[in-house]
Amino acid sequence: MQDRLLETIAPYRDRVDYLEIRLEQSESTAITFRGPQLDAVDRGFTLAGGIRACHNGGWSFVTFNGLAELKERIEEAISQAKLVGKETTVLAPIEPIKDYVTAELGLDPRGVSLAEKRRLMEGYNQLLLEFDPRIQTTSVNYRDRFGITYFVNSIGTCIAQERLDIQAGFGAIARGEGGLVRQGYESFHSRSDYNALVGIEARVQGAAQRAIRQLEAKSVKGGQYTVVLDPYLSGVFIHEAFGHLSEADFVYENPRMQELLSLGKPLAIEQLNVVDDATLPGLPGSLKYDDEGVPGQRKYLIEKGILTQRLHNRETAAKLQEKPTGNARAINATHPPIVRMTNTAIEAGEHSFDEMIADIQEGVYAVRMLGGQTNGEMFTFAAAEGYMIRNGKIAEPVSDVTLTGNVFQTLKDIEAIGNDSVYLNGGCGKGGQMPLPVSVGGPHIRIKNVVVGGR
Ligand SMILES: [Zn+2]
């Protein structure tokens, strides 16, 4: 297939400034339960792709199904790019690479019967439904997908990458007195092994447990508190509030952000290190090459509190005169690659959790994320769960914990960084492409003066 695509692209190489073909062959299975009902079972096989061309700075993207129409589509991409191009094409130079990347496989889900997958998910769904009479409904979403993406471009890159994703999400909704509704969620992701989803009963039940616990919690009293975020929330915070700002397409289009985010600027307390690391083995955001054929890398976005690097595709790197970072990613081959994160995390610090809360008289411990939004430098996150911290100890559970702030102020208000960093799977949305597999990581972090909204 690689040779065939190389042959196909060869006659067109000199007709535009840049040309690439991505073709993806994939097979997937999805199983969904809503409440006690099996909602959907889908099996899919696809052979589809996209062609990107750039001429005089103008981009085109054209999709295709199957190989029969490929040449016609390449012509279409070339003429569209020529139509819109009015400037100069700038792309950071890269070495053309030839490689075939295999997926590491444990128990391959393609070798597990649909009936067996359904039985496993049905069992977990049953556990949630039966957890407590107040559980009103549940959702279970299972999906596995194995794909091979072939990538060739006009500078001679020729890469094939296998990728396996196995994921499952479990949701529980509880209803209490006066119609109060609470939800709990848990999710799993493996890049290699169906067995990662076997024997996870206790963690699945955690979704129902959290929904029930929140029924019993009283709404937090709004105000300004010292807040400790759990690793999941600190990971989500760094991804959503800061990570997206470090995506260079955003910076490039936004003069105010260029000023706020000039490299070398002290942005945070000296102890803070933030990485985006595509090289970690087996995480949702890990990749050997991005969707422009640039090797995945480990980058410090913030090192010792200083803004050191941002995330690029080849074009943004050239425009900002920086190096490409391997962050051009597409949700699949029928979407164009855009600047995205991989595995983004706050590095562990030196404090234990007990040390972090020891001298807090009254504060809030915020756990997991329910939802949130960002608007430029402002963010609002709703924690899935909360607890008061009183006299240095975790006290009663509280609900409706929303955290609001300005990311640049918050980075300076971090007071302590925990020694317990973990990576958790997440799905990122941008430019209509979601959920892109990423992971977010962090330790517990303690932040002062956080505005906490209650009900
Ligand atoms: Zn995101």
Side-chain angles (χ1 to χ4, degrees), residues 134-291:
R134 290 169 290 176
I135 295 293
Q136 198 183 34
T137 192
T138 59
S139 66
V140 173
N141 295 288
Y142 168 87
R143 183 174 150 89
D144 61 55
R145 185 175 192 273
F146 180 87
I148 308 175
T149 304
Y150 300 93
F151 175 83
V152 297
N153 67 16
S154 51
I155 65 162
T157 303
C158 179
I159 296 170
Q161 294 191 86
E162 298 179 355
R163 179 180 172 116
L164 174 64
D165 290 276
I166 308 160
Q167 54 203 104
F170 302 92
I173 291 181
R175 185 181 284 267
E177 282 166 32
L180 184 68
V181 172
R182 297 294 185 198
Q183 49 183 310
Y185 192 73
E186 182 63 273
S187 71
F188 299 83
H189 193 126
S190 171
R191 290 288 299 274
S192 60
D193 196 352
Y194 179 79
N195 277 330
L197 294 185
V198 177
I200 53 171
E201 285 77 6
R203 283 185 59 197
V204 170
Q205 282 178 319
Q209 205 166 36
R210 284 192 283 281
I212 295 294
R213 242 182 351 232
Q214 278 289 291
L215 281 181
E216 287 151 10
K218 290 222 166 51
S219 188
V220 69
K221 186 166 163 277
Q224 223 177 48
Y225 294 93
T226 296
V227 170
V228 175
L229 306 184
D230 82 322
Y232 189 86
L233 250 183
S234 72
V236 170
F237 163 73
I238 211 65
H239 171 107
E240 293 292 347
F242 175 73
H244 280 292
L245 300 186
S246 66
E247 293 168 342
D249 50 350
F250 173 76
V251 180
Y252 184 72
E253 288 158 8
N254 192 323
R256 176 176 156 77
M257 282 299 158
Q258 278 185 39
E259 198 183 306
L260 283 169
L261 290 165
S262 51
L263 297 184
K265 189 170 178 166
L267 269 195
I269 58 160
E270 213 190 310
Q271 294 81 0
L272 190 78
N273 296 304
V274 176
V275 294
D276 181 80
D277 191 350
T279 69
L280 294 164
L283 291 178
S286 305
L287 45 89
K288 183 149 184 212
Y289 304 102
D290 76 354
D291 286 314

Side-chain angles (χ1 to χ4, degrees), residues 93-114:
I94 54 164
E95 288 297 315
I97 289 169
K98 291 195 167 51
D99 200 359
Y100 189 103
V101 182
T102 52
E104 265 183 47
L105 298 178
L107 178 56
D108 186 339
R110 291 173 296 172
V112 177
S113 72
L114 188 59

Side-chain angles (χ1 to χ4, degrees), residues 229-245 267-268 272 274 302 341 344-346 368-369 371-374 376-381 403-414 440-443 445-447 450:
L229 306 184
D230 82 322
Y232 189 86
L233 250 183
S234 72
V236 170
F237 163 73
I238 211 65
H239 171 107
E240 293 292 347
F242 175 73
H244 280 292
L245 300 186
L267 269 195
L272 190 78
V274 176
I302 295 177
M341 282 170 263
T344 312
I346 295 174
R368 291 175 175 246
M369 163 117 149
Q373 53 189 33
T374 60
E377 61 212 87
M378 299 307 293
F379 65 84
T380 299
F381 295 129
L403 313 171
T404 302
N406 174 300
V407 61
F408 297 112
Q409 187 58 45
T410 305
L411 288 171
K412 293 189 179 98
D413 286 343
I414 294 174
V440 298
I445 58 173
R446 172 174 153 171
I447 309 168
V450 179

